[in-house]
Amino acid sequence: MTDPDRRAAARTATFVAVPVAVAVGVAALWFASRQATPEPRPTSTAVPSTGVSVPALPLAGDDIARCRALVEGLPPTFGDLPRRPVTGNAGQTAAYGEPAVTLACGGPATTFPPTGTLFPLNGVCWYGEQAKDANVFHTVDRVTPVRVSIPTAYQGELISAFSSSVAAAVPAVATPPAACLNEAPRTAGPTAR
């Protein structure tokens, strides 16, 4: 190969290699920026200072003291969700993060269908149902019912974080549904109440 042929081959290689290298670099930067930018998730560090409206449920007798003990014993954060002020009866309700995860203590005993799935988590048995923009969990094995509403914007097992506080403040019923005696989600079966 002569010197002019080598120069021509080098020019051709350069004309091909430079645009390919630039395209690969741009693609790599775009891909890296997509990986570095997390998917939007609910804000949890900058929550509004306004109170969250959580409807208070009917309470009587020992339920009042149990709910007060539960709410007072809740931690200041669940994961990275800070506690927020609530409007209404702060002695039986709580809220965390934005959008707000809410807890309400009291009310009538939870009913669920025989084919409903129960979730025994950290010593507390929950029945979950899908609402418009939230997953709502109800205790089915506590003497005083507790309801936790978790907006669908959150992912993961937030409900299990509430179980320890509920178990510490609200005693279990004498005879829980049979599906609650297993540590895996199960359908309630014929013993549902």
Side-chain angles (χ1 to χ4, degrees):
M1 195 182 245
T2 64
D3 194 36
D5 289 337
R6 287 184 187 160
R7 285 187 196 152
R11 273 193 301 268
T12 302
T14 302
F15 287 129
V16 171
V18 168
V20 168
V22 168
V24 167
V26 168
L29 286 173
W30 177 81
F31 183 74
S33 71
R34 297 278 296 156
Q35 295 298 320
T37 305
E39 289 296 317
R41 66 170 290 196
T43 9
S44 57
T45 54
V47 295
S49 61
T50 57
V52 177
S53 177
V54 183
L57 302 170
L59 288 177
D62 293 337
D63 290 345
I64 296 168
R66 287 186 200 112
C67 288
R68 184 171 290 121
L70 169 61
V71 171
E72 288 174 358
L74 291 171
T77 61
F78 273 113
D80 62 349
L81 301 178
R83 192 157 176 181
R84 295 185 55 189
V86 294
T87 59
N89 190 341
Q92 71 182 98
T93 60
Y96 290 85
E98 174 63 30
V101 173
T102 61
L103 175 141
C105 181
T110 302
T111 59
F112 51 90
T115 57
T117 301
L118 302 181
F119 301 90
L121 300 168
N122 299 334
V124 175
C125 195
W126 302 89
Y127 167 66
E129 58 188 346
Q130 178 73 44
K132 181 181 176 189
D133 295 323
N135 293 309
V136 182
F137 294 89
H138 309 265
T139 58
V140 296
D141 67 340
R142 302 286 119 181
V143 295
T144 302
V146 177
R147 182 190 75 229
V148 176
S149 179
I150 302 173
T152 54
Y154 296 108
Q155 296 178 357
E157 295 293 325
L158 269 178
I159 192 62
S160 64
F162 284 92
S163 292
S164 298
S165 296
V166 171
V170 183
V173 295
T175 309
C180 294
L181 304 176
N182 185 358
E183 282 298 317
R186 296 175 33 152
T187 58
T191 59
R193 41 185 181 114

